[in-house]
Amino acid sequence: LIPNDSGILVNLANSLVMLRRFDEATPLFERAIALKPQRVEARLGLASVFREKRSAVARPPSCRKPE
């Protein structure tokens, strides 16, 4: 069940980011943005997910953080 409260979605997505569960956090940030496009926290959170995923790919396997 996904709530229709963008604040709850952002909080849940941020929790998933802290657990490095980026693939689960992404759709929550996207839904929060769809519900409330002006919510800056959702946009910043989504940007941080993209940044983390991109930097994880760029690191050699021996330097990557375990997921």
Side-chain angles (χ1 to χ4, degrees), residues 1-2 4-5 7 9-11 15-16 21 29-30 32 37 39-40 44 53-54 60-61 65-66:
L1 180 66
I2 298 207
N4 289 323
D5 183 317
L9 291 168
V10 169
N11 289 337
S15 297
L16 291 168
R21 293 167 56 179
F29 283 129
E30 290 171 342
R39 183 170 283 281
V40 175
L44 291 174
K53 289 172 96 175
R54 183 177 39 138
K65 294 180 183 178

Side-chain angles (χ1 to χ4, degrees), residues 8 11-12 16 25 40 46 52 55 61 63-64:
I8 291 172
N11 289 337
L12 180 55
L16 291 168
V40 175
L46 187 58
E52 286 292 327
S55 66
C63 296
R64 293 184 188 155

Side-chain angles (χ1 to χ4, degrees), residues 8-66:
I8 291 172
L9 291 168
V10 169
N11 289 337
L12 180 55
N14 283 327
S15 297
L16 291 168
V17 167
M18 291 176 65
L19 295 170
R20 304 194 61 76
R21 293 167 56 179
F22 304 121
D23 291 335
E24 295 173 68
T26 300
L28 297 177
F29 283 129
E30 290 171 342
R31 177 130 171 89
I33 292 167
L35 289 170
K36 195 169 183 181
Q38 67 273 25
R39 183 170 283 281
V40 175
E41 299 92 342
R43 293 180 181 277
L44 291 174
L46 187 58
S48 73
V49 167
F50 291 147
R51 184 184 64 239
E52 286 292 327
K53 289 172 96 175
R54 183 177 39 138
S55 66
V57 171
R59 287 185 215 125
S62 61
C63 296
R64 293 184 188 155
K65 294 180 183 178

